[in-house]
Amino acid sequence: MRALIVAGAALLAIPAGSGEARTPAVVHQVTPKAFSYVPANLTGPAPLVVLLHGAGGDARNFLRQFERDADERGLILLSVQSAGRTWAQRKPTDEEKDVADIKAAIVALSSRSQVADGRTSVMGFSDGASYALSIGLAYPELFRAIVAFSPGYAFGPAELDTTQRIFIAHSRRDPVLPAANVRAMVKAFEEAGYVPEVNWFNGGHEIDPQLKKLAFDFALAP
């Protein structure tokens, strides 16, 4: 597949109690670059969604936008901070700092919380959406699904897993990353053999609330 380039974020997770009252969910810094959110009502292995913020964003603040979704759906969140102001704009490799930080955060969280096997997805916004696509495509064995809110580019690896599930939400009127970028990207995905779910909305460069709900449905589907 040709590289798809369309221009344009306490150390222990809360353990699930048996019969006793549980401590309310709080945010934990699991590595110097990552924060987790584990709902207090979890009683067993749960799906994990890795969150990637937009350019100039903050992992902790980005996490706050999804905590209610985690409570309602019974899933674990892990928000990772980019190594620079934004995510690396090249093909992800094991030597890349952003890749290493994301993998280290998943390992650290998994050692302290019960993450369901094979139920990890990656979800991002703007530059974080672009990197979610790139790292998700590069590591399909790690991410079962990719959710991209308003992406601008993606890099495709040499070897593809076209069974991987991809969800894209983008505004027809996005003033930052034009819709034409995504149309070209989707065409490239389809030509490579992927079947992305693409959802358009009328708005700005943002995460549409209704499509956010659909995105979680998509990420958590069996």
Side-chain angles (χ1 to χ4, degrees):
M1 176 184 181
R2 63 185 176 86
L4 302 174
I5 309 178
V6 185
L11 296 177
L12 297 179
I14 301 172
S18 50
E20 57 197 50
R22 289 189 288 272
T23 304
V26 295
V27 171
H28 298 279
Q29 186 169 8
V30 295
T31 72
K33 287 285 189 176
F35 298 85
S36 70
Y37 181 84
V38 182
N41 60 355
L42 291 185
T43 58
L48 169 64
V49 175
V50 177
L51 300 173
L52 306 181
H53 62 79
D58 177 80
R60 176 64 189 90
N61 290 336
F62 192 55
L63 180 65
R64 290 192 181 98
Q65 301 180 43
F66 302 91
E67 291 173 2
R68 178 174 294 182
D69 300 286
D71 289 335
E72 293 175 348
R73 295 172 179 270
L75 59 91
I76 299 170
L77 300 175
L78 178 64
S79 187
V80 184
Q81 185 69 42
S82 60
R85 181 180 179 277
T86 190
W87 305 94
Q89 297 184 0
R90 49 185 171 268
K91 287 187 179 183
T93 66
D94 287 340
E95 292 72 36
E96 179 67 53
K97 184 67 166 64
D98 285 325
V99 172
D101 287 341
I102 290 169
K103 286 188 171 184
I106 293 173
V107 170
L109 175 64
S110 298
S111 71
R112 296 169 172 86
S113 299
Q114 297 186 64
V115 177
D117 291 341
R119 298 293 305 279
T120 298
S121 302
V122 60
M123 176 182 294
F125 168 67
S126 192
D127 274 11
S130 300
Y131 201 68
L133 287 166
S134 298
I135 194 171
L137 293 169
Y139 298 95
E141 73 285 356
L142 182 58
F143 300 110
R144 68 190 297 268
I146 303 168
V147 174
F149 296 113
S150 304
Y153 66 88
F155 291 91
E159 296 184 8
L160 305 175
D161 179 358
T162 57
T163 65
Q164 195 172 28
R165 301 170 62 249
I166 300 172
F167 179 102
I168 297 174
H170 203 91
S171 171
R172 298 179 182 88
R173 305 169 183 170
D174 193 317
V176 178
L177 297 172
N181 294 5
V182 173
R183 293 190 182 98
M185 191 187 308
V186 169
K187 181 180 179 181
F189 280 133
E190 292 173 341
E191 289 175 349
Y194 289 93
V195 185
E197 179 174 324
V198 183
N199 294 269
W200 299 98
F201 65 97
N202 295 320
H205 189 62
E206 60 188 296
I207 298 176
D208 179 82
Q210 293 304 313
L211 292 183
K212 185 172 80 162
K213 295 178 182 178
L214 289 180
F216 274 105
D217 289 342
F218 181 89
L220 299 177

